[in-house]
Amino acid sequence: MHQPLIDLQHISKSFDGTMVLDDLSLTVKENSFVTLLGPSGCGKTTTLRIIGGFESPDTGSVIFDGQEITHLPPNKRQLNTVFQKYALFTHMTIADNIAFGLKIKNKPKSYIQDKIKYALKLVNLDGYENRSVDSLSGGQQQRIAIARAIVNEPRLLLLDEPLGALDLKLRQDMQYELIRLKNELGITFIYVTHDQEEALTMSDTIVVMNQGYIQQMGSPESIYNEPENAFVADFIGDSNIVPGIMLRDELVEIFGAKFACVDKGFGTNRPVDVVIRPEDIDLVAPGQGALSGIVTHLIFKGVHYEMEVTTPDGFEWLVHSTDLFPVGRQVDIHVDPFDIQIMNKPASEDEEAMGVNE
Amino acid sequence: MSKTYRSLKQFFSNFYLVFILIFLYAPIITMMVLSFNTSKSRTQWGGFTLAWYQQMLSDPNIISALYYTLLIAFVSALAACIIGTAAAIAIDSMKPVTKTIVLGVTNIPMLNADIVTGISLMLAFLAFGISLGFKTILISHITFNIPYVILSVMPKLKQTNKSTYEAALDLGAHPLYAFFKVVFPDIMPGVLSGFLLAFTMSLDDFIITHFTRGAGINTLSTLIYSQVRRGIQPSMYALSSVIFLTVLVLLLITNYRPRQKKSIHDTDALSGGAFHKNSLPERIQKSAMAAAAVMILFSVAFITFKKYTTASSNELYVYNWGEYIDEEVVAMFEEETGIDVTYDMFETNEEMYPVIEAGAVRYDVVCPSDYMIQKMIENDLLVEINFENVPNIHQINPTYLEMSKSFDPQNKYSVPYCWGTVGILYNTKRIQELGVEPPDSWHDLWNPALAGEILMQDSVRDAFMVALKDLGYSMNTADISQLQEAKQLLIDQKPLVQAYVIDQVRDKMIGGEAAVGVVYSGEMLYIQEEVQNLGLDYELEYVIPKEGTNLWLDSWVIPANAANKENAEKWIDFLCRPEIALRNFEYITYPTPNDGAFQLLEPELQNNKSIFPDLDHLEDSEVFQYLGDEDDAVYNALWKEVKSW
């Protein structure tokens, strides 16, 4: 195995006394597509800016391909950034924008011309060389920003919520575009977003962040299916998070009802948090499930119905189902053992934030 | 009904607009029209001419002032642009609270009264031992220009996308390269309009320049001001017209540019097709840079050149009234003696006094009036003249030396240069129409038949002189009951007076607007020539009232801190030569105390009693004396009562 491309070691950073990153460590392998995901203020953009060289960490170091670059200025780093608001140079033509980095590196004219052509082709904007920035749509501008970055052949491309300003349809198109680009270019992407769907669609690895800590890191499937704490479970998709008691291995009690599960090693009679995805709940006829309740809300969502089932203890279960159960109907709740995810209860709020880093 | 109402409304709003425009621009248009007037008079049209523009261009004083004005405006605007832009960038990156405070602080100089800024700058320069001159004006202009640049650059910075700078760094640009290539073009319109604003402000400034300038350097505004005493020459109207048009053009450019840029963008967005982006900003940027570089080199070269030429030890700093010497005389003096003369002008005695007192500029020879010389002697500001170096002193008629004793008791400090009287100027035809005898007494100014036809001097000592003389008192009295009497007399006269004016008396009288006016005799020659030139059907006569009048005397003195006293004495001696005094008389037209020069005049002029009155008849006349601050205050308080009655 060769060494990681990026290795962040014990990075801490605070602004005006507010801790933004607290002892964060993260490695990124060559040729991967890593997404930093989290709500605003979680430290994901700061992490990206530290890698890009626009901020320097208070403590800790940044290793790029085995070399310490913690205090190297941005213009000396072998990576490029695509900014949230594109940051194109509006007083230059598209061609001049793309050529900017190459001219600084004193590349020959013909080489630059070829690169511009190639990059514009790559982002599907051939023939736009002499257009002005202002005449392009948001999506086109974003593609130029990407073209401007990739002509420099960086080993690492940082993308800071690049699709944030685009509308839904364009955003979905651009997601595929980015995956295609990454595969064609074979360079490493670090991508920052607060949009969990974007993260799940594009990444090899998702890093979920909150309040300056990494909550969980893993493949999209593992993040979605096996959230390690309540924050991740809640942030990625919809979830029902309920208090439970782990009676013994593979058996958990929720609101007095016993559910079979697949988790082990939590001891006996231990309070835990239980995560159940709304699409994993089966509504069955009364008497056939472990818990009974009554349908209190119903919304048609297109691919499925979204329902709320209130159980006698007052908890409102979120349920996604393709079957319709009208409001007022008595139903029972059934969950398959492998759809139940057991998590340790955090002892304090701080511990909750620190998540699995502990 | 509503239709007529609407058209009426339309009419009034148009009328209002036109009215406002006239109100704003009538004065400027008047000045422009007068700049083409053959006659020097402000009320008579003598035909179209470009002579004043020619005169303006051939006057070395004006050209030098124009040069300094433009140089200072350009260099200060450029320096303010560099400093101000850097400051704006720093301020922009501050935290909101600090930003507000710092912006407030930088805005204060802009809101501050110019006079406060001017005086405090002057004090600061003196406190730090910086002698006033070109560089102090330049520093001052840079100082007051910086806020304007910050003000116009800040909004542009706010508009720019902060990440473009980071994007440039990210693409490998050095921070400086990134700034000039990426940030600067974005804020360029702001910098440019800041530059033009600063340039205009610098062109416009009088007060701050007035306080911070030193010997031998004038900008257009201070030059114009220094000429007010003799009446502003029409070439100044020409010059002012040119300045106005220049400023107007600059303002039009400033306001036009951003809109033009926006329209390019609009067409871009609309056309949608391949539209070659106009590289105008880059071109402007480059040529502006080139022009700036040339100007800086040029000015540096000039300043160094100036430094070397004035570094010679053989120099003389002269401080004189505006338009109070024939320029040729200065050149002749320089040529003959090899002394470099730095010639400077003031407009009033009161303006000259603090300059000498503060020692801000070390003048070698100054030409104040009688009472001011007395004040300067009392305050030890003058040094005795060594008359061995002034052999031509014998050319001065002893009468004037005798006269000088009222303020320079032993004739040790001063040498008379010009003198004159105050009297009544009257319109022969007009008083005949009014059925009034030609005046020969101050008392005639209280004749009810002349109601609305009298012009009085708008200055405290001159006005009280008229009343005190009429009452038979001394015009230098400090007796409060005499002064109260005089005050009452002036109040009684008020209903008869058309206006209290200073040098407009001349033009109003030439224009036939009033029958009688109190005037200084100095310009009689000019007035009579002008009446003749205009072919007017009346004559203006001058009379010295029988009760006696104010005899005034302007004399050369040497300040105590003069660095080139011997050169100053050479200067005084040179001006006492009959042929030189004659030249100056012909230029200034004020009576000369120089006997040698008088003998060279044509008999007709010698006998012109309005110019050279018989001194034997003037036994009741007096020379103004310095009364001291306390009595000055009494005079001023009483004059205020008269004016506000």
Side-chain angles (χ1 to χ4, degrees):
Chain A
M1 266 304 275
H2 49 256
Q3 59 196 350
L5 184 66
I6 279 284
D7 187 4
L8 299 181
Q9 297 174 345
H10 307 289
I11 301 279
S12 292
K13 175 79 184 172
S14 54
F15 293 108
D16 300 328
T18 310
M19 198 66 134
V20 177
L21 294 177
D22 191 356
D23 195 34
L24 178 134
S25 295
L26 172 70
T27 58
V28 174
K29 279 190 302 195
E30 182 112 46
N31 209 9
S32 57
F33 192 133
V34 176
T35 299
L36 305 181
L37 174 67
S40 55
C42 73
K44 57 189 192 300
T45 295
T46 306
T47 309
L48 197 75
R49 289 174 62 80
I50 285 173
I51 300 172
F54 304 115
E55 306 282 356
S56 51
D58 298 339
T59 59
S61 40
V62 182
I63 314 290
F64 182 88
D65 198 21
Q67 289 193 320
E68 159 113 30
I69 59 161
T70 318
H71 299 292
L72 204 64
N75 49 329
K76 299 266 162 63
R77 299 190 181 198
Q78 281 182 295
L79 48 83
N80 286 110
T81 309
V82 176
F83 292 87
Q84 190 168 9
K85 284 176 192 148
Y86 327 137
L88 294 179
F89 310 135
T90 47
H91 56 283
M92 298 181 194
T93 61
I94 297 303
D96 286 340
N97 263 280
I98 297 174
F100 191 88
L102 299 173
K103 278 183 185 162
I104 289 169
K105 294 187 188 79
N106 283 321
K107 299 284 186 196
K109 261 208 166 93
S110 58
Y111 174 86
I112 295 177
Q113 286 308 321
D114 289 349
K115 271 285 184 188
I116 293 170
K117 267 208 144 59
Y118 162 75
L120 283 173
K121 205 180 181 79
L122 204 62
V123 296
N124 288 328
L125 288 172
D126 322 56
Y128 276 60
E129 280 90 343
N130 291 326
R131 291 279 290 265
S132 76
V133 171
D134 293 340
S135 69
L136 301 188
S137 70
Q140 289 171 327
Q141 289 195 27
Q142 189 54 278
R143 281 189 269 171
I144 297 300
I146 294 167
R148 183 177 68 179
I150 61 179
V151 287
N152 300 290
E153 298 176 354
R155 294 181 63 190
L156 173 62
L157 192 63
L158 306 176
L159 300 104
D160 184 6
E161 305 214 26
L163 311 183
L166 306 182
D167 60 49
L168 180 66
K169 187 79 181 78
L170 203 53
R171 203 154 68 214
Q172 285 169 345
D173 289 348
M174 283 298 291
Q175 287 172 10
Y176 292 114
E177 200 94 339
L178 280 172
I179 296 168
R180 179 180 65 82
L181 271 175
K182 194 202 153 283
N183 293 336
E184 277 181 37
L185 295 166
I187 54 181
T188 312
F189 277 32
I190 299 181
Y191 192 97
V192 160
T193 184
H194 62 269
D195 183 327
Q196 43 117 351
E197 192 212 314
E198 225 167 82
L200 293 170
T201 311
M202 295 194 286
S203 332
D204 314 327
T205 308
I206 294 177
V207 180
V208 183
M209 295 181 67
N210 189 32
Q211 295 177 25
Y213 297 99
I214 292 176
Q215 300 292 326
Q216 187 173 356
M217 184 167 160
S219 68
E221 290 87 349
S222 68
I223 296 279
Y224 188 83
N225 292 329
E226 294 145 38
E228 288 175 19
N229 60 33
F231 174 81
V232 177
D234 200 37
F235 193 76
I236 307 281
D238 298 318
S239 319
N240 296 293
I241 303 174
V242 291
I245 296 163
M246 201 66 183
L247 296 174
R248 55 178 160 81
D249 282 356
E250 302 185 355
L251 187 66
V252 65
E253 186 189 283
I254 302 165
F255 299 136
K258 293 183 179 62
F259 285 84
C261 62
V262 294
D263 297 80
K264 298 175 194 173
F266 286 89
T268 52
N269 292 324
R270 169 113 189 258
V272 289
D273 276 337
V274 181
V275 178
I276 302 169
R277 295 285 180 194
E279 65 272 22
D280 292 338
I281 293 177
D282 298 323
L283 294 182
V284 292
Q288 293 184 6
L291 258 176
S292 53
I294 191 163
V295 179
T296 47
H297 254 105
L298 172 71
I299 300 166
F300 177 58
K301 283 278 194 176
V303 272
H304 58 75
Y305 293 97
E306 184 174 294
M307 286 166 283
E308 263 175 37
V309 174
T310 310
T311 44
D313 45 82
F315 188 83
E316 291 169 345
W317 295 81
L318 190 67
V319 181
H320 290 170
S321 170
T322 48
D323 300 324
L324 169 71
F325 294 86
V327 173
R329 173 78 60 92
Q330 277 285 338
V331 289
D332 267 15
I333 285 173
H334 169 82
V335 187
D336 288 331
F338 48 84
D339 285 334
I340 293 176
Q341 172 76 14
I342 306 291
M343 302 178 303
N344 277 315
K345 256 190 176 335
S348 67
E349 215 172 283
D350 209 32
E351 196 185 311
E352 184 181 320
M354 283 160 71
V356 295
N357 257 13
E358 196 57 356
Chain B
M1 182 68 190
S2 79
K3 201 176 172 189
T4 49
Y5 170 73
R6 223 179 302 142
S7 66
L8 206 65
K9 200 173 141 186
Q10 185 68 36
F11 170 77
F12 275 112
S13 66
N14 286 342
F15 175 80
Y16 185 67
L17 186 70
V18 170
F19 179 75
I20 292 282
L21 284 176
I22 290 174
F23 189 73
L24 288 177
Y25 288 99
I28 293 166
I29 292 166
T30 311
M31 182 192 72
M32 286 181 164
V33 169
L34 284 178
S35 74
F36 296 109
N37 186 1
T38 309
S39 164
K40 275 189 178 183
S41 164
R42 289 164 214 173
T43 46
Q44 295 285 323
W45 179 254
F48 179 86
T49 180
L50 285 173
W52 305 122
Y53 285 86
Q54 267 168 345
Q55 187 179 326
M56 171 192 103
L57 290 173
S58 59
D59 183 337
N61 274 331
I62 294 181
I63 293 305
S64 146
L66 181 68
Y67 170 78
Y68 278 118
T69 307
L70 291 178
L71 184 70
I72 288 167
F74 189 89
V75 176
S76 71
L78 195 73
C81 261
I82 295 167
I83 301 171
T85 306
I89 289 167
I91 293 170
D92 191 56
S93 65
M94 286 174 180
K95 279 182 231 152
V97 182
T98 342
K99 195 188 217 166
T100 318
I101 295 171
V102 174
L103 260 184
V105 170
T106 57
N107 280 344
I108 289 173
M110 211 161 31
L111 305 171
N112 210 353
D114 277 0
I115 190 143
V116 178
T117 311
I119 289 176
S120 43
L121 277 166
M122 180 188 77
L123 290 177
F125 289 136
L126 293 179
F128 288 102
I130 304 168
S131 61
L132 300 181
F134 174 80
K135 60 177 180 295
T136 50
I137 304 182
L138 187 63
I139 293 169
S140 309
H141 280 231
I142 292 171
T143 310
F144 74 71
N145 274 337
I146 288 174
Y148 293 100
V149 176
I150 294 179
L151 197 73
S152 54
V153 173
M154 281 308 280
K156 280 283 154 205
L157 272 175
K158 237 173 246 166
Q159 282 167 26
T160 50
N161 182 347
K162 296 281 175 306
S163 37
T164 50
Y165 172 70
E166 290 187 344
L169 291 186
D170 185 78
L171 293 167
H174 186 271
L176 267 180
Y177 182 84
F179 172 76
F180 282 109
K181 203 76 183 167
V182 172
V183 181
F184 195 66
D186 274 352
I187 59 171
M188 183 68 182
V191 177
L192 203 69
S193 65
F195 176 85
L196 291 174
L197 198 60
F199 191 86
T200 318
M201 283 305 182
S202 173
L203 275 191
D204 195 40
D205 177 68
F206 163 71
I207 298 174
I208 295 171
T209 313
H210 177 70
F211 281 104
T212 55
R213 81 197 182 89
I217 176 163
N218 262 311
T219 62
L220 290 174
S221 53
T222 59
L223 179 74
I224 292 171
Y225 184 71
S226 70
Q227 302 200 341
V228 170
R229 192 202 192 196
R230 283 255 312 176
I232 298 172
Q233 296 298 304
S235 56
M236 286 296 147
Y237 308 158
L239 183 59
S240 303
S241 306
V242 171
I243 297 174
F244 170 74
L245 288 176
T246 313
V247 171
L248 189 71
V249 167
L250 283 180
L251 283 178
L252 285 178
I253 293 173
T254 327
N255 290 328
Y256 186 63
R257 240 194 71 85
R259 221 180 304 149
Q260 184 190 32
K261 195 179 174 207
K262 197 164 173 244
S263 71
I264 288 175
H265 282 192
D266 287 349
T267 36
D268 253 4
L270 286 176
S271 71
F275 185 91
H276 191 92
K277 172 86 177 159
N278 204 334
S279 57
L280 193 67
E282 207 167 343
R283 257 202 350 255
I284 288 181
Q285 186 186 341
K286 275 186 184 144
S287 49
M289 290 275 193
V294 169
M295 274 302 279
I296 290 172
L297 281 177
F298 180 51
S299 48
V300 166
F302 181 81
I303 294 163
T304 11
F305 169 75
K306 258 302 222 204
K307 225 178 188 163
Y308 279 115
T309 52
T310 56
S312 74
S313 62
N314 210 8
E315 52 188 6
L316 181 69
Y317 284 80
V318 180
Y319 204 23
N320 194 6
W321 299 87
E323 295 256 330
Y324 219 42
I325 198 164
D326 185 342
E327 291 287 332
E328 277 293 300
V329 169
V330 180
M332 286 161 73
F333 176 76
E334 283 184 312
E335 196 173 327
E336 187 179 308
T337 59
I339 295 170
D340 267 316
V341 174
T342 304
Y343 188 85
D344 229 348
M345 292 167 278
F346 56 86
E347 201 254 327
T348 66
N349 282 304
E350 285 65 31
E351 174 202 343
M352 173 277 305
Y353 182 82
V355 174
I356 300 297
E357 190 193 29
V361 187
R362 291 174 66 179
Y363 289 105
D364 298 314
V365 65
V366 189
C367 186
S369 304
D370 32 56
Y371 69 98
M372 188 52 78
I373 295 175
Q374 187 188 359
K375 183 176 177 181
M376 292 171 91
I377 293 172
E378 284 173 16
N379 289 314
D380 295 327
L381 293 179
L382 300 182
V383 67
E384 290 180 23
I385 297 170
N386 179 359
F387 283 95
E388 278 175 29
N389 293 332
V390 192
N392 282 314
I393 186 74
H394 69 83
Q395 296 287 353
I396 304 292
N397 188 320
T399 321
Y400 303 99
L401 293 176
E402 199 56 40
M403 217 152 99
S404 296
K405 284 185 178 167
S406 70
F407 54 87
D408 178 11
Q410 290 161 294
N411 282 334
K412 282 200 295 195
Y413 295 96
S414 62
V415 173
Y417 182 56
C418 287
W419 71 282
T421 54
V422 178
I424 299 172
L425 186 69
Y426 61 95
N427 185 320
T428 50
K429 188 180 161 203
R430 194 71 173 261
I431 59 164
Q432 211 175 350
E433 284 167 4
L434 292 164
V436 178
E437 286 295 305
D440 66 342
S441 158
W442 291 118
H443 204 68
D444 292 324
L445 296 178
W446 274 262
N447 184 348
L450 288 173
E453 294 283 343
I454 299 171
L455 296 171
M456 282 288 283
Q457 283 285 322
D458 185 15
S459 95
V460 46
R461 294 293 300 270
D462 288 327
F464 271 90
M465 182 275 289
V466 171
L468 288 167
K469 281 289 168 198
D470 183 48
L471 291 163
Y473 301 139
S474 161
M475 67 183 199
N476 291 314
T477 185
D479 184 317
I480 190 67
S481 61
Q482 293 181 355
L483 287 172
Q484 286 288 358
E485 246 183 284
K487 179 197 85 180
Q488 195 50 50
L489 203 57
L490 287 172
I491 289 170
D492 294 343
Q493 186 202 23
K494 251 191 117 173
L496 307 178
V497 175
Q498 184 191 92
Y500 294 90
V501 285
I502 303 176
D503 80 339
Q504 297 100 299
V505 177
R506 190 188 66 189
D507 289 316
K508 280 177 177 286
M509 291 301 293
I510 292 173
E513 288 177 37
V516 293
V518 176
V519 297
Y520 278 79
S521 68
E523 289 180 80
M524 274 313 298
L525 200 58
Y526 160 72
I527 291 173
Q528 287 173 347
E529 276 173 9
E530 192 70 14
V531 169
Q532 222 162 25
N533 290 344
L534 288 168
L536 301 175
D537 64 343
Y538 46 80
E539 276 174 22
L540 296 177
E541 293 287 346
Y542 178 79
V543 64
I544 297 172
K546 60 185 180 211
E547 295 91 348
T549 184
N550 166 22
L551 273 174
W552 56 266
L553 205 52
D554 290 340
S555 306
W556 289 104
V557 296
I558 302 178
N561 65 356
N564 307 291
K565 184 168 180 272
E566 284 188 17
N567 287 350
E569 284 158 352
K570 276 186 197 168
W571 168 264
I572 295 172
D573 188 52
F574 188 78
L575 295 182
C576 286
R577 290 187 194 171
E579 68 278 11
I580 299 298
L582 178 64
R583 249 182 189 281
N584 279 333
F585 168 73
E586 283 168 352
Y587 180 82
I588 312 169
T589 74
Y590 280 28
T592 173
N594 194 299
D595 228 11
F598 184 76
Q599 299 308 328
L600 293 172
L601 289 175
E602 290 169 27
E604 195 194 328
L605 266 176
Q606 285 179 349
N607 295 327
N608 186 332
K609 292 287 176 253
S610 15
I611 302 170
F612 294 104
D614 290 336
L615 288 176
D616 324 341
H617 298 156
L618 292 176
E619 58 267 19
D620 292 322
S621 296
E622 293 173 90
V623 175
F624 270 134
Q625 282 173 358
Y626 169 58
L627 299 169
D629 290 340
E630 266 176 53
D631 290 332
D632 263 354
V634 173
Y635 268 82
N636 284 326
L638 293 173
W639 177 233
K640 215 170 171 183
E641 277 186 56
V642 172
K643 293 286 293 265
S644 58
W645 189 259

